Each structure stands twice: as C-alpha cells, then as structure tokens.
Amino acid sequence: MLWSLLKVLIFIAIVAGLAIGVGYLTELDEAAMLTVAGREFVLTPIMAIVLALVLLLAVWLLFKAVALLVATLRFLNGDETAISRHFNRRAERKGFEALAEGMMALAAGEGRLAIRKAERAEKYLHRPELTKLILAQGAEMTGDRKLAMETYKALVTDDRTRFVGVRGLMKQKLEAGDTDTALKLAEKALALRPRNEEVQTTLLQLQARHEDWAGARATLSKALKAGNLPRDLHKRRDAVLALAHAREAMAQGKIAEATRDATEANRLAPTLVPAAAMATRLAIAEKNPRKAAKILKAAWANEPHPDLAAAFAEIEPNETPAARLKRFQPLLAKHPGHPETKLLEAELQIAREDFPAARRALGDLAETKPTTRSLTIMAAIERGQGAEDRVVRAWLARAVTAPRGPQWLCGNCGQVHAEWRPVCANCESFDTLAWAEAPQSEAALAGPAQMLPMIVGALEDRRDTQAEDAETVEDATPPETDGTRAADATAGPDATGAEPSEDRSSDTAAAERN
C-alpha cells in the first residue's frame, strides 16, 4: 500500500516537472545553456523535449526493475506474486487436465489409468475432495480393496467429503459381507444426508435382514417424507414390515401385539395374502368367525389364492364335505373362471366323492394349463370313477414333470420359497416375493416327458405279462389229490425240492461209478 502511494506521488512529481520544463522551453527563442559537472551543454527546444522523454523512460524502467526485484524477493519469501500466480495457473491447468483424463478413464473402465491420473492431479491441485474420489473409484474398479478403504477413510476426515467417505466404506463392507458394520455406517450416512434415496434404501434392506422391523418402518417413513417413495409402495412395504413384526410377536407369545400388527398390515395392503391369512387365524383364535370370513372374502375378491382357501376352511374345521362346499359358494362365485377357483371346486367335489361334478368343475384345465396340482386332481377323478390303473398312472406320470404352477417366487434372484417371507432366503432382498409361476426350461422337461409313454407302457406290459404267467402256471399245475396234499403237508424241508434234488444227484453219481 505504501509503495503504491509512493509510486503515485513520484509519478505526479515527474509529470509536474516535465510540464514546467516544457513551459520554460517554449519561452526560449533559440537555445539554453545547461551546465552539468563543470561542462556546458547547449539545448534547443527539440533536444530538451527528447531529453525529457528519455528521462521519463529511464524513470519508468527504474520502477519496473525495482518492482521486479521486490517481486523476486517476495517470491523467494513465499508470498503471492505475479511470478507465483503464473506458476500456479500453469500447475492448475495441468492438474485439471489430469483430473479430466482420470474421469474419462473411469468412464472407459480403465481403473489403473484413473489412479495414475488422480495421483498426478493431486500433485498439482491439492484438492483431495476431487482427486481422492477418483482414486477410490479407480481402486474399486481394479479390485484394490485396501487402497479403496484407505482412500475412503481419508475422505471421512474432511467435513466436505465425510458423507462420500462413509458411503464408500458402507459399500465396501457390504461387498465384504460385513452387514453389521455396514448397518452402522448406513445409519451414520443417513444422519449426514437424511434425504439421500440410496442410503435410505440400503439402510432399509439392512434393517430388514437384521429383523429390525421398527427401525425399518422409521426409515420407510423418512423415505416417504423425503419424496423418494410413492405412497402406494410405502403402504405396501409398511404392511410387509407390520406383518413381519406380527409374526415375531406371535412367536414370542405376544398375541395382542401380533393381532394389532396383523390387522394393520391387512388394512394397509388388502392384497397381501399372508397378512389376510394371519389376521383370519387370529380372528378364529378370538372366536370371531364372522370377522375371519369377512377378511378372507375381501382378500379373495382381489385375487384367489390357496392359502386363503386353507384359512377359510379352518373357520369350520369339523364340517361335512357337503356343508363345506355350500359354505365355499361365496368364494367360488367371485372368480368363476379363475384357475384357482376351478381347482378349489374340483377338490371340494372330490371330498364329496362327486367325481363327475369334479371333472366338470376342473374343465379342460388339465389339458390347456397342466400343472402338478391339476394333473393330480385329474388322476384322483379317474381313480374315483373306476378308471384302469394305467390311466391313473399316466396322469400321475405327467404330474411329475409338469410345472408346479404359481409359487412364492423372488423377483430379484428367482428363488422359489415354500412359504412367504419378508426377506428372500437366497439374495436377502426385502419385499421381492410374489405369487407367480417360476420359469421352466422346455429342454429340461423334454427328456422326462418323452420317457413317460415308455414308462407307462413298460409298467402295463409288465402287468399283462405277470397276469399271463399266473394263468399259465395255473393251467399247467395238475389237480392235487388228498394224498398228495397230505404228503406235502408232512414232507417238511425235503418237500421244498432243493434237498431231494441233491440226494437224487448223489444217487445218480454213485450208480454211474458202479
């Protein structure tokens, strides 16, 4: 500041002196005498003006030299100067070029190149919030877990990058299978960024795996408030969590708590079959069959399901087959063309031993959409109507290789479950089980299906052969007299045929020797 003021004052003084000198020279007629160090110089007006300009240039050059000297001294001292700014801009340009090349390397899948470029960018920029992120992602791409962990830990120490570091460590722990640590890191990450959708989803999955149903419901509520979850999906998942908590309470003997949560789950998601079935059984336990029937009828109206039919049967477990068929009529009337309705009515008719009615109820389901269940029912109908064994065996043989029909199938990994679960037993995904048909390879079933006629035919041929052999033996056997039967009865071990044959062989051999 002082140096700048001094330069301004000197410049004003010089300009004022030049102005006075020019004014003085213009008053001269011919020339002026200038004495310097005992020597005299004759100055004309033109020479005086040139001398003034030279003097002005010399002063300007002096100022520049002094400024350069001061800048050099400040540069050597570490202060910011024009020289330092020049080198800084050069280093910054190189750093950002390396950073851009590192990002392009990540996009191209070249992890090692991205690591080298990130290290070069850090050398020039000294911006770890940018360079370490590329370094960590490059390390993940190349499989260098140690470098990735160290880099994410370094990011955690900086307030600007703490969330990125915690999130990176969480993903590393998930890949390593350390779900306990990953759960804690997810909770910390959500505290740093409460509206982050990815962290909310990850935390919900981890809480479901650890059966922290209350914590999962709180996380689900935060996702809804943040606008990261549609309201209908929130209701569905909240119902799943409530049902899971009800099952846990039921296992612990907390009937009231289980009833409350099961009812809540059924209210939130009427299409959730396990919730309706559990609410029904709890209503049956409370001696409230009317409430149980109401729950099941509402659930069946949405979609028929065998679990709903089984729960409906439990309302009156000791009724006769005819009474049961009559009580099931409201269910059968809701979806008369649905495959599950046809199968259910056929089973009820079989229980009444009305096999023609069962065949009419089943229709052509065994031919148009064969499943293990429909083909087994068809075999029972044939047996009930007195069909031959080969016909029944043919239906059962087809049932062995037929599709199993709808099952509880994980939409994420395709794993089939015997019963509904809130979390897949294979991939541990939350709320991915649906009642659907598992895809089956036609090639896998082609071989067994082609063998069925051979198997059934072989069994039938064997049966016919056995019958013919039995008839032949019966015809070839002479009628036994009373004496023969008496001798056989008293013969003992010698009458079996083995030992007498040995005796006869011994006698024959002795005769030949003689």
Side-chain angles (χ1 to χ4, degrees), residues 21-109:
V22 171
Y24 177 75
L25 291 174
T26 55
E27 294 177 357
L28 294 176
D29 294 334
E30 294 182 358
M33 297 295 294
L34 180 62
T35 303
V36 179
R39 298 181 63 181
E40 295 181 354
F41 298 92
V42 179
L43 297 176
T44 62
I46 296 176
M47 293 178 61
I49 293 173
V50 172
L51 181 61
L53 292 175
V54 171
L55 180 62
L56 183 61
L57 179 61
V59 172
W60 181 80
L61 291 174
L62 178 63
F63 281 163
K64 288 297 181 181
V66 172
L68 180 60
L69 178 62
V70 172
T72 303
L73 293 176
R74 292 179 60 191
F75 175 74
L76 295 175
N77 192 43
D79 298 336
E80 182 180 0
T81 61
I83 299 175
S84 65
R85 286 194 294 271
H86 167 73
F87 287 108
N88 288 341
R89 284 194 297 270
R90 181 171 175 269
E92 188 178 48
R93 184 176 66 254
K94 289 185 177 181
F96 279 113
E97 287 177 357
L99 190 67
E101 291 173 356
M103 295 175 66
M104 293 297 294
L106 282 179

Coordinates of all heavy atoms in Angstrom, one line a residue, residues 21-109:
G21 N 9.1 22.2 -17.2 CA 10.2 22.2 -18.2 C 9.8 22.5 -19.6 O 10.4 23.3 -20.3
V22 N 8.7 21.9 -20.0 CA 8.2 22.2 -21.4 C 7.7 23.6 -21.5 O 7.9 24.3 -22.5 CB 7.0 21.2 -21.7 CG1 6.3 21.6 -23.0 CG2 7.6 19.8 -21.8
G23 N 7.1 24.1 -20.4 CA 6.6 25.5 -20.4 C 7.8 26.5 -20.5 O 7.8 27.5 -21.2
Y24 N 8.9 26.2 -19.8 CA 10.1 27.0 -19.8 C 10.8 27.0 -21.2 O 11.2 28.0 -21.7 CB 11.0 26.5 -18.7 CG 12.4 27.3 -18.7 CD1 12.4 28.6 -18.2 CD2 13.5 26.7 -19.2 CE1 13.7 29.3 -18.2 CE2 14.7 27.3 -19.2 CZ 14.8 28.6 -18.7 OH 16.0 29.3 -18.7
L25 N 10.8 25.8 -21.8 CA 11.5 25.7 -23.1 C 10.7 26.4 -24.2 O 11.3 26.9 -25.2 CB 11.6 24.2 -23.5 CG 12.6 23.4 -22.6 CD1 12.6 21.9 -23.0 CD2 14.0 24.0 -22.8
T26 N 9.4 26.4 -24.1 CA 8.6 27.1 -25.1 C 8.9 28.6 -25.1 O 8.6 29.3 -26.0 CB 7.1 26.8 -24.9 OG1 6.8 27.2 -23.6 CG2 6.8 25.4 -25.2
E27 N 9.3 29.2 -23.9 CA 9.6 30.6 -23.8 C 11.0 31.0 -24.4 O 11.3 32.2 -24.6 CB 9.5 31.0 -22.4 CG 8.1 30.9 -21.8 CD 8.1 31.3 -20.3 OE1 9.2 31.5 -19.8 OE2 7.0 31.2 -19.7
L28 N 11.8 30.0 -24.7 CA 13.1 30.3 -25.2 C 13.0 30.6 -26.7 O 12.2 30.1 -27.4 CB 14.1 29.1 -25.0 CG 14.4 28.7 -23.6 CD1 15.3 27.4 -23.6 CD2 15.2 29.9 -22.9
D29 N 13.9 31.6 -27.1 CA 13.9 31.9 -28.5 C 14.8 31.0 -29.3 O 14.4 30.6 -30.4 CB 14.4 33.4 -28.7 CG 13.5 34.4 -28.0 OD1 12.3 34.1 -28.0 OD2 13.9 35.5 -27.6
E30 N 16.0 30.8 -28.9 CA 16.9 30.0 -29.7 C 17.4 28.7 -28.9 O 17.1 27.6 -29.3 CB 18.1 30.8 -30.1 CG 17.7 31.9 -31.1 CD 18.9 32.8 -31.5 OE1 20.0 32.4 -31.1 OE2 18.7 33.6 -32.4
A31 N 18.2 28.9 -27.9 CA 18.8 27.8 -27.1 C 19.0 28.2 -25.7 O 18.9 29.4 -25.3 CB 20.1 27.4 -27.8
A32 N 19.3 27.1 -24.9 CA 19.6 27.3 -23.5 C 20.9 26.6 -23.1 O 21.3 25.7 -23.8 CB 18.4 26.8 -22.6
M33 N 21.6 27.2 -22.1 CA 22.8 26.6 -21.7 C 22.6 25.8 -20.4 O 21.9 26.3 -19.5 CB 23.8 27.7 -21.4 CG 24.2 28.6 -22.6 SD 25.1 27.7 -23.8 CE 26.6 27.3 -23.0
L34 N 23.1 24.5 -20.4 CA 22.9 23.7 -19.3 C 24.3 23.2 -18.8 O 25.1 22.7 -19.6 CB 22.1 22.4 -19.7 CG 21.8 21.4 -18.6 CD1 21.1 22.0 -17.4 CD2 21.2 20.1 -19.1
T35 N 24.6 23.5 -17.6 CA 25.9 23.2 -17.0 C 25.8 22.0 -16.1 O 25.0 22.0 -15.1 CB 26.5 24.4 -16.3 OG1 26.6 25.5 -17.1 CG2 27.9 24.0 -15.7
V36 N 26.5 20.9 -16.4 CA 26.5 19.7 -15.6 C 27.9 19.3 -15.3 O 28.7 19.0 -16.2 CB 25.7 18.5 -16.3 CG1 25.7 17.3 -15.4 CG2 24.3 19.0 -16.6
A37 N 28.3 19.3 -14.0 CA 29.7 18.8 -13.6 C 30.7 19.6 -14.3 O 31.7 19.1 -14.7 CB 29.8 17.4 -13.8
G38 N 30.5 21.0 -14.4 CA 31.5 21.9 -15.0 C 31.5 21.9 -16.5 O 32.4 22.5 -17.1
R39 N 30.6 21.1 -17.1 CA 30.6 21.1 -18.6 C 29.3 21.8 -19.0 O 28.2 21.6 -18.4 CB 30.6 19.7 -19.1 CG 31.9 19.0 -18.7 CD 31.9 17.6 -19.3 NE 31.9 17.6 -20.7 CZ 31.9 16.5 -21.5 NH1 31.9 15.3 -20.9 NH2 31.9 16.6 -22.8
E40 N 29.4 22.5 -20.1 CA 28.2 23.2 -20.6 C 27.6 22.5 -21.8 O 28.4 22.1 -22.7 CB 28.6 24.7 -21.0 CG 29.1 25.5 -19.8 CD 29.5 26.9 -20.3 OE1 29.5 27.1 -21.5 OE2 29.7 27.8 -19.4
F41 N 26.3 22.5 -21.8 CA 25.5 21.9 -22.9 C 24.5 22.9 -23.5 O 23.9 23.6 -22.7 CB 24.8 20.6 -22.5 CG 25.7 19.5 -22.0 CD1 26.0 19.5 -20.6 CD2 26.3 18.6 -22.8 CE1 26.9 18.5 -20.1 CE2 27.2 17.6 -22.3 CZ 27.5 17.6 -21.0
V42 N 24.5 22.9 -24.8 CA 23.6 23.8 -25.4 C 22.3 23.0 -25.8 O 22.4 22.0 -26.5 CB 24.2 24.4 -26.7 CG1 23.2 25.4 -27.4 CG2 25.4 25.2 -26.3
L43 N 21.1 23.5 -25.3 CA 19.9 22.7 -25.5 C 19.0 23.6 -26.4 O 18.6 24.7 -26.0 CB 19.2 22.4 -24.2 CG 20.0 21.5 -23.3 CD1 19.2 21.3 -22.0 CD2 20.2 20.1 -23.9
T44 N 18.6 23.0 -27.5 CA 17.5 23.6 -28.2 C 16.2 23.0 -27.7 O 16.1 22.0 -26.9 CB 17.6 23.2 -29.7 OG1 17.5 21.8 -29.8 CG2 19.0 23.7 -30.3
P45 N 15.0 23.6 -28.1 CA 13.7 23.1 -27.6 C 13.5 21.7 -27.9 O 13.0 20.9 -27.1 CB 12.7 24.0 -28.2 CG 13.5 25.3 -28.4 CD 14.9 24.9 -28.8
I46 N 13.9 21.3 -29.2 CA 13.7 19.9 -29.6 C 14.5 18.9 -28.7 O 14.0 17.9 -28.3 CB 13.9 19.7 -31.1 CG1 12.9 20.6 -31.9 CG2 13.9 18.2 -31.5 CD1 13.2 20.5 -33.4
M47 N 15.8 19.3 -28.5 CA 16.6 18.5 -27.7 C 16.1 18.3 -26.3 O 16.3 17.3 -25.7 CB 18.1 19.0 -27.8 CG 18.7 18.9 -29.1 SD 20.4 19.7 -29.1 CE 21.2 18.6 -27.9
A48 N 15.6 19.4 -25.8 CA 15.1 19.4 -24.4 C 13.9 18.4 -24.3 O 13.8 17.7 -23.3 CB 14.7 20.8 -24.0
I49 N 13.0 18.4 -25.3 CA 11.9 17.5 -25.3 C 12.3 16.1 -25.4 O 11.9 15.2 -24.6 CB 10.9 17.9 -26.4 CG1 10.3 19.2 -26.2 CG2 9.8 16.8 -26.5 CD1 9.5 19.7 -27.4
V50 N 13.3 15.8 -26.2 CA 13.8 14.4 -26.3 C 14.5 14.0 -25.0 O 14.3 12.8 -24.6 CB 14.8 14.3 -27.5 CG1 15.5 13.0 -27.5 CG2 14.1 14.6 -28.8
L51 N 15.2 14.9 -24.4 CA 15.9 14.6 -23.1 C 14.8 14.3 -22.1 O 15.0 13.4 -21.2 CB 16.8 15.7 -22.7 CG 17.6 15.6 -21.4 CD1 18.5 14.4 -21.5 CD2 18.3 16.8 -21.1
A52 N 13.8 15.0 -22.1 CA 12.7 14.8 -21.1 C 12.1 13.4 -21.3 O 11.8 12.7 -20.3 CB 11.6 15.9 -21.2
L53 N 11.8 13.1 -22.6 CA 11.2 11.7 -22.8 C 12.2 10.6 -22.4 O 11.7 9.6 -21.8 CB 10.9 11.6 -24.3 CG 9.8 12.5 -24.8 CD1 9.6 12.4 -26.3 CD2 8.5 12.2 -24.1
V54 N 13.5 10.8 -22.7 CA 14.5 9.8 -22.3 C 14.5 9.7 -20.7 O 14.5 8.6 -20.2 CB 15.8 10.1 -22.8 CG1 16.9 9.2 -22.2 CG2 15.9 10.0 -24.3
L55 N 14.4 10.8 -20.1 CA 14.4 10.8 -18.6 C 13.2 10.1 -18.1 O 13.2 9.3 -17.1 CB 14.5 12.2 -18.1 CG 14.5 12.4 -16.6 CD1 15.7 11.7 -16.0 CD2 14.5 13.8 -16.2
L56 N 12.0 10.3 -18.7 CA 10.8 9.7 -18.3 C 10.9 8.2 -18.5 O 10.5 7.4 -17.7 CB 9.6 10.3 -19.1 CG 8.2 9.7 -18.7 CD1 7.9 10.0 -17.3 CD2 7.2 10.3 -19.7
L57 N 11.5 7.7 -19.7 CA 11.6 6.3 -19.9 C 12.5 5.7 -18.9 O 12.3 4.5 -18.4 CB 12.1 6.1 -21.3 CG 12.4 4.7 -21.8 CD1 11.1 3.9 -21.7 CD2 13.0 4.6 -23.2
A58 N 13.6 6.4 -18.6 CA 14.6 5.8 -17.6 C 13.9 5.6 -16.2 O 14.1 4.6 -15.5 CB 15.8 6.8 -17.5
V59 N 13.1 6.6 -15.9 CA 12.4 6.5 -14.6 C 11.4 5.3 -14.6 O 11.3 4.5 -13.6 CB 11.7 7.8 -14.2 CG1 10.8 7.6 -13.0 CG2 12.6 8.9 -14.0
W60 N 10.7 5.1 -15.7 CA 9.8 4.0 -15.8 C 10.5 2.7 -15.8 O 10.1 1.8 -15.1 CB 9.1 4.1 -17.2 CG 8.0 3.0 -17.4 CD1 6.8 3.0 -16.9 CD2 8.2 1.8 -18.2 NE1 6.2 1.8 -17.3 CE2 7.0 1.1 -18.1 CE3 9.3 1.4 -18.9 CZ2 6.9 -0.1 -18.7 CZ3 9.1 0.2 -19.6 CH2 7.9 -0.6 -19.5
L61 N 11.6 2.6 -16.5 CA 12.4 1.4 -16.4 C 12.9 1.1 -15.0 O 13.0 0.0 -14.5 CB 13.6 1.4 -17.4 CG 13.2 1.4 -18.9 CD1 14.4 1.6 -19.7 CD2 12.5 0.1 -19.2
L62 N 13.3 2.2 -14.3 CA 13.8 2.0 -12.9 C 12.7 1.5 -12.0 O 12.9 0.6 -11.2 CB 14.2 3.4 -12.4 CG 14.7 3.4 -10.9 CD1 16.0 2.5 -10.8 CD2 15.1 4.8 -10.5
F63 N 11.5 2.0 -12.2 CA 10.3 1.5 -11.4 C 10.1 0.0 -11.7 O 9.9 -0.8 -10.8 CB 9.1 2.3 -11.8 CG 9.0 3.6 -11.1 CD1 8.1 4.6 -11.5 CD2 9.8 3.9 -10.0 CE1 8.1 5.8 -10.9 CE2 9.7 5.1 -9.3 CZ 8.9 6.1 -9.8
K64 N 10.2 -0.4 -13.0 CA 10.0 -1.8 -13.3 C 11.0 -2.7 -12.8 O 10.8 -3.8 -12.3 CB 9.9 -1.9 -14.9 CG 8.7 -1.4 -15.5 CD 7.4 -2.1 -15.0 CE 6.2 -1.6 -15.7 NZ 5.0 -2.4 -15.2
A65 N 12.3 -2.2 -12.8 CA 13.4 -3.0 -12.2 C 13.2 -3.2 -10.7 O 13.4 -4.3 -10.2 CB 14.7 -2.3 -12.5
V66 N 12.8 -2.1 -10.1 CA 12.6 -2.2 -8.6 C 11.4 -3.1 -8.3 O 11.5 -3.9 -7.4 CB 12.3 -0.8 -8.0 CG1 11.9 -0.9 -6.6 CG2 13.6 0.1 -8.2
A67 N 10.3 -3.0 -9.1 CA 9.2 -3.9 -8.9 C 9.5 -5.4 -9.1 O 9.1 -6.3 -8.4 CB 8.0 -3.5 -9.9
L68 N 10.4 -5.6 -10.2 CA 10.8 -7.0 -10.4 C 11.7 -7.5 -9.3 O 11.5 -8.7 -8.8 CB 11.6 -7.0 -11.7 CG 12.1 -8.4 -12.1 CD1 11.0 -9.4 -12.3 CD2 13.0 -8.3 -13.4
L69 N 12.5 -6.7 -8.8 CA 13.4 -7.1 -7.6 C 12.5 -7.4 -6.4 O 12.7 -8.4 -5.7 CB 14.4 -6.0 -7.3 CG 15.3 -6.2 -6.1 CD1 16.2 -7.4 -6.4 CD2 16.2 -5.0 -5.9
V70 N 11.5 -6.5 -6.2 CA 10.7 -6.7 -5.0 C 9.8 -8.0 -5.2 O 9.7 -8.8 -4.2 CB 9.7 -5.5 -4.8 CG1 8.7 -5.8 -3.7 CG2 10.6 -4.3 -4.4
A71 N 9.3 -8.3 -6.4 CA 8.5 -9.5 -6.7 C 9.4 -10.7 -6.5 O 8.9 -11.7 -6.0 CB 8.0 -9.4 -8.1
T72 N 10.7 -10.6 -6.9 CA 11.5 -11.8 -6.8 C 11.8 -12.1 -5.3 O 11.8 -13.3 -4.9 CB 12.9 -11.5 -7.5 OG1 12.6 -11.2 -8.9 CG2 13.8 -12.7 -7.4
L73 N 12.0 -11.0 -4.5 CA 12.2 -11.2 -3.1 C 11.0 -11.8 -2.4 O 11.1 -12.7 -1.6 CB 12.6 -9.9 -2.5 CG 14.0 -9.3 -2.9 CD1 14.2 -8.0 -2.3 CD2 15.1 -10.3 -2.5
R74 N 9.8 -11.3 -2.8 CA 8.6 -11.8 -2.2 C 8.3 -13.3 -2.7 O 7.8 -14.1 -1.9 CB 7.4 -11.0 -2.7 CG 7.4 -9.6 -2.0 CD 6.2 -8.8 -2.5 NE 5.0 -9.4 -2.1 CZ 3.8 -9.1 -2.5 NH1 3.7 -8.1 -3.4 NH2 2.7 -9.7 -2.1
F75 N 8.7 -13.6 -3.9 CA 8.5 -15.0 -4.4 C 9.4 -15.9 -3.7 O 9.0 -17.0 -3.3 CB 8.8 -15.0 -5.9 CG 8.8 -16.4 -6.5 CD1 7.7 -17.1 -6.7 CD2 10.0 -17.0 -6.8 CE1 7.7 -18.4 -7.2 CE2 10.0 -18.3 -7.3 CZ 8.9 -19.0 -7.5
L76 N 10.7 -15.5 -3.4 CA 11.6 -16.3 -2.6 C 11.1 -16.4 -1.2 O 11.4 -17.4 -0.5 CB 13.0 -15.7 -2.7 CG 13.6 -15.7 -4.1 CD1 15.0 -15.0 -4.0 CD2 13.8 -17.1 -4.6
N77 N 10.4 -15.5 -0.7 CA 9.9 -15.5 0.7 C 8.6 -16.3 0.8 O 8.1 -16.6 1.9 CB 9.6 -14.1 1.1 CG 9.4 -14.0 2.6 OD1 10.1 -14.7 3.4 ND2 8.4 -13.2 3.0
G78 N 8.0 -16.7 -0.4 CA 6.8 -17.5 -0.4 C 5.5 -16.7 -0.5 O 4.4 -17.3 -0.4
D79 N 5.6 -15.4 -0.7 CA 4.4 -14.6 -0.8 C 3.8 -14.7 -2.2 O 4.5 -15.2 -3.2 CB 4.8 -13.1 -0.6 CG 5.2 -12.9 0.8 OD1 4.9 -13.7 1.7 OD2 6.0 -11.9 1.1
E80 N 2.6 -14.4 -2.4 CA 1.9 -14.5 -3.7 C 2.3 -13.3 -4.5 O 2.1 -12.1 -4.1 CB 0.4 -14.5 -3.5 CG -0.3 -14.6 -4.9 CD -1.8 -14.6 -4.7 OE1 -2.3 -14.6 -3.5 OE2 -2.6 -14.7 -5.7
T81 N 2.8 -13.6 -5.7 CA 3.3 -12.5 -6.6 C 2.8 -12.9 -8.0 O 2.2 -14.0 -8.2 CB 4.8 -12.4 -6.6 OG1 5.4 -13.7 -7.0 CG2 5.3 -12.1 -5.2
A82 N 3.1 -12.0 -8.9 CA 2.8 -12.3 -10.3 C 3.5 -13.6 -10.8 O 3.0 -14.4 -11.6 CB 3.2 -11.1 -11.2
I83 N 4.8 -13.8 -10.3 CA 5.5 -14.9 -10.7 C 4.9 -16.2 -10.2 O 4.7 -17.2 -10.9 CB 7.0 -14.8 -10.3 CG1 7.6 -13.6 -10.9 CG2 7.7 -16.1 -10.6 CD1 9.0 -13.4 -10.4
S84 N 4.5 -16.1 -8.9 CA 3.9 -17.3 -8.3 C 2.5 -17.6 -8.9 O 2.1 -18.8 -9.1 CB 3.7 -17.1 -6.8 OG 2.8 -16.0 -6.5
R85 N 1.8 -16.5 -9.2 CA 0.5 -16.7 -9.9 C 0.6 -17.4 -11.2 O -0.2 -18.2 -11.7 CB -0.3 -15.4 -10.0 CG -0.9 -14.9 -8.7 CD -1.9 -13.8 -8.9 NE -1.2 -12.6 -9.4 CZ -0.7 -11.6 -8.7 NH1 -0.7 -11.7 -7.4 NH2 -0.1 -10.6 -9.3
H86 N 1.7 -17.0 -11.9 CA 1.9 -17.6 -13.2 C 2.2 -19.1 -13.1 O 1.6 -19.9 -13.8 CB 3.2 -17.0 -13.9 CG 3.7 -17.7 -15.1 ND1 3.0 -17.7 -16.3 CD2 4.8 -18.5 -15.2 CE1 3.7 -18.5 -17.1 NE2 4.8 -18.9 -16.5
F87 N 3.0 -19.5 -12.2 CA 3.3 -20.9 -11.9 C 2.1 -21.7 -11.4 O 1.8 -22.8 -11.7 CB 4.5 -21.1 -11.0 CG 5.8 -20.8 -11.7 CD1 6.5 -19.6 -11.3 CD2 6.4 -21.6 -12.6 CE1 7.8 -19.3 -11.9 CE2 7.6 -21.3 -13.2 CZ 8.3 -20.2 -12.9
N88 N 1.3 -21.0 -10.6 CA 0.1 -21.6 -10.0 C -0.9 -21.9 -11.1 O -1.6 -22.9 -11.1 CB -0.5 -20.7 -8.9 CG 0.3 -20.7 -7.7 OD1 1.1 -21.6 -7.4 ND2 0.1 -19.7 -6.8
R89 N -1.1 -20.9 -12.0 CA -2.0 -21.1 -13.1 C -1.6 -22.3 -14.0 O -2.4 -23.1 -14.5 CB -2.2 -19.8 -13.9 CG -3.0 -18.8 -13.3 CD -3.4 -17.7 -14.3 NE -2.2 -17.0 -14.8 CZ -1.7 -15.9 -14.2 NH1 -2.3 -15.4 -13.1 NH2 -0.7 -15.3 -14.7
R90 N -0.3 -22.4 -14.2 CA 0.3 -23.4 -15.0 C 0.0 -24.8 -14.3 O -0.4 -25.8 -15.0 CB 1.8 -23.2 -15.2 CG 2.5 -24.3 -16.1 CD 3.9 -23.8 -16.4 NE 4.6 -24.8 -17.1 CZ 5.4 -25.8 -16.5 NH1 5.5 -25.8 -15.2 NH2 6.0 -26.7 -17.2
A91 N 0.3 -24.9 -13.0 CA 0.1 -26.1 -12.3 C -1.4 -26.5 -12.2 O -1.8 -27.6 -12.4 CB 0.6 -26.0 -10.9
E92 N -2.3 -25.4 -12.1 CA -3.7 -25.7 -12.0 C -4.2 -26.2 -13.4 O -5.1 -27.1 -13.4 CB -4.4 -24.4 -11.7 CG -5.9 -24.6 -11.4 CD -6.6 -23.3 -11.0 OE1 -6.3 -22.2 -11.7 OE2 -7.3 -23.2 -10.0
R93 N -3.7 -25.7 -14.4 CA -4.1 -26.2 -15.8 C -3.7 -27.6 -15.9 O -4.5 -28.4 -16.4 CB -3.5 -25.3 -16.8 CG -3.9 -25.7 -18.2 CD -3.3 -24.7 -19.3 NE -1.9 -24.8 -19.4 CZ -1.0 -23.9 -18.9 NH1 -1.5 -22.8 -18.3 NH2 0.3 -24.1 -19.0
K94 N -2.5 -28.0 -15.6 CA -2.1 -29.4 -15.7 C -2.9 -30.3 -14.8 O -3.2 -31.4 -15.1 CB -0.6 -29.5 -15.3 CG 0.3 -28.9 -16.4 CD 1.8 -29.1 -16.0 CE 2.7 -28.6 -17.1 NZ 4.2 -28.9 -16.7
G95 N -3.2 -29.8 -13.6 CA -4.0 -30.6 -12.6 C -5.4 -30.9 -13.1 O -5.8 -32.0 -13.0
F96 N -6.0 -29.9 -13.7 CA -7.4 -30.1 -14.2 C -7.4 -31.0 -15.4 O -8.3 -31.7 -15.7 CB -8.1 -28.8 -14.4 CG -8.7 -28.2 -13.2 CD1 -8.2 -27.0 -12.7 CD2 -9.7 -28.8 -12.5 CE1 -8.7 -26.4 -11.5 CE2 -10.3 -28.2 -11.4 CZ -9.7 -27.0 -10.9
E97 N -6.3 -30.9 -16.2 CA -6.2 -31.7 -17.4 C -6.1 -33.2 -16.9 O -6.7 -34.1 -17.5 CB -5.0 -31.3 -18.2 CG -5.2 -30.1 -19.0 CD -4.0 -29.7 -19.8 OE1 -2.9 -30.4 -19.6 OE2 -4.0 -28.7 -20.5
A98 N -5.3 -33.4 -15.9 CA -5.1 -34.8 -15.3 C -6.4 -35.3 -14.7 O -6.8 -36.5 -14.8 CB -4.0 -34.8 -14.3
L99 N -7.1 -34.4 -14.0 CA -8.4 -34.7 -13.4 C -9.4 -35.1 -14.5 O -10.1 -36.1 -14.3 CB -8.9 -33.6 -12.6 CG -10.1 -33.8 -11.7 CD1 -9.8 -34.8 -10.6 CD2 -10.7 -32.5 -11.1
A100 N -9.5 -34.4 -15.6 CA -10.4 -34.7 -16.6 C -10.0 -36.0 -17.3 O -10.9 -36.9 -17.6 CB -10.4 -33.6 -17.7
E101 N -8.8 -36.3 -17.4 CA -8.3 -37.6 -18.0 C -8.6 -38.7 -17.1 O -9.0 -39.8 -17.5 CB -6.8 -37.5 -18.3 CG -6.5 -36.6 -19.5 CD -5.0 -36.4 -19.6 OE1 -4.2 -37.0 -18.8 OE2 -4.6 -35.7 -20.6
G102 N -8.5 -38.5 -15.8 CA -8.9 -39.5 -14.8 C -10.4 -39.9 -14.9 O -10.8 -41.0 -14.8
M103 N -11.2 -38.8 -15.0 CA -12.7 -39.1 -15.1 C -13.0 -39.8 -16.4 O -13.9 -40.7 -16.4 CB -13.4 -37.8 -15.1 CG -13.3 -37.0 -13.8 SD -14.1 -35.4 -13.8 CE -15.8 -35.8 -13.9
M104 N -12.3 -39.5 -17.5 CA -12.6 -40.2 -18.8 C -12.1 -41.7 -18.6 O -12.7 -42.6 -19.2 CB -11.8 -39.5 -19.9 CG -12.3 -38.1 -20.2 SD -14.0 -38.2 -20.9 CE -13.8 -39.1 -22.4
A105 N -11.0 -41.9 -17.9 CA -10.5 -43.2 -17.7 C -11.5 -44.1 -16.9 O -11.7 -45.2 -17.2 CB -9.2 -43.2 -17.0
L106 N -12.2 -43.4 -15.9 CA -13.2 -44.2 -15.2 C -14.4 -44.5 -16.0 O -14.9 -45.6 -16.0 CB -13.7 -43.3 -14.0 CG -12.8 -43.2 -12.7 CD1 -13.4 -42.3 -11.7 CD2 -12.6 -44.6 -12.1
A107 N -14.8 -43.6 -16.9 CA -15.9 -43.8 -17.8 C -15.5 -44.9 -18.8 O -16.4 -45.7 -19.2 CB -16.3 -42.6 -18.5
A108 N -14.3 -45.0 -19.1 CA -13.8 -46.1 -20.1 C -13.5 -47.4 -19.4 O -13.2 -48.4 -20.1 CB -12.6 -45.6 -20.9
G109 N -13.6 -47.5 -18.1 CA -13.3 -48.7 -17.4 C -11.8 -49.0 -17.2 O -11.5 -50.1 -16.9

